Amino acid sequence: IPDDSFQVAGTITLDGVIHQLDAQRRPGFHRTDRCPQEGVYNLAMRAPDGADPAVEPAGDGCGSLRVNFLGNASGLFFLADGSRTSMSGHVSRSGEWATYRPLFGGRGRGFLAGTLTFRGAPADPGQVDGEWRWKKAAGVAPTTYPGGIATTRGVVGNAWTPPARGDRALPGLADDDFNAWARFLGPALGAPPAADFAVSWADNNRVTYHGPERLVLSVNARTGRVNGRMIDRAKGINFRFQGIVLPNQGLVTGAYTADGESGLFSMEAR
């Protein structure tokens, strides 16, 4: 066992509540003993099924994390309420990454914190999972959820490798027109609060939609990020959305915000 593999664990009691503590020593990875989890990972913080967007964000947060050979981890994460935060830290010998990020300038305004576990090296099979606690104080950002947010949500991720030229960033799509669904679930859609659109995802990673609504999607094949805008003037719909490709799940998942609430955006094979 390497000398840097030990950890410290225990509990602390605050206001009568017992909290578990876990701290692991930073590993001494180097060029001839590289971090096994070295690579890029796409992450999604999943909203629970049936989440009520009037009460809590019903979209999925999304982002990317890069782990270098030293085990240093850094990235950018977009939360489902429309805010975003940078991420940093290091991966332990046991393949865990713990993070704490103040939000909205800190000072009690909010935070994102938790631990993710890497399940194998990126090539085999490069899965990541865990939980994050997400808190946003009341009155911090009045445009979405002015009453605040306090939730614990599961996080899932995959190792990410950009597709080769001529390959689609989302696996499992047929080599045909109208080969994918773009789906929205949540606010500003009317009744029912859901909408499905058949789109064509070409092998040059351009996505097109032909319909009375205006649905524009842009795929960054280098990162797996999907961004876009939905406009339906007849129904008064106009919002932007974003998501991330999770290749192992054959899914794009993310969020949109409209009318001060958050909904789910997703794409999958049709």
Side-chain angles (χ1 to χ4, degrees), residues 46-60 145 153 185-187 193 262-264:
R46 306 301 304 273
D49 293 341
D52 182 353
V55 177
E56 62 178 328
D60 289 352
Y145 300 97
R153 296 191 167 182
L185 177 63
S262 165
L264 179 67

Side-chain angles (χ1 to χ4, degrees), residues 227-246:
N227 294 281
R229 188 168 185 174
M230 171 67 188
I231 300 175
D232 186 341
R233 300 191 187 281
K235 296 182 178 179
I237 296 174
N238 188 341
F239 58 76
R240 297 183 183 274
F241 56 87
Q242 60 188 351
I244 199 80
V245 176
L246 298 178

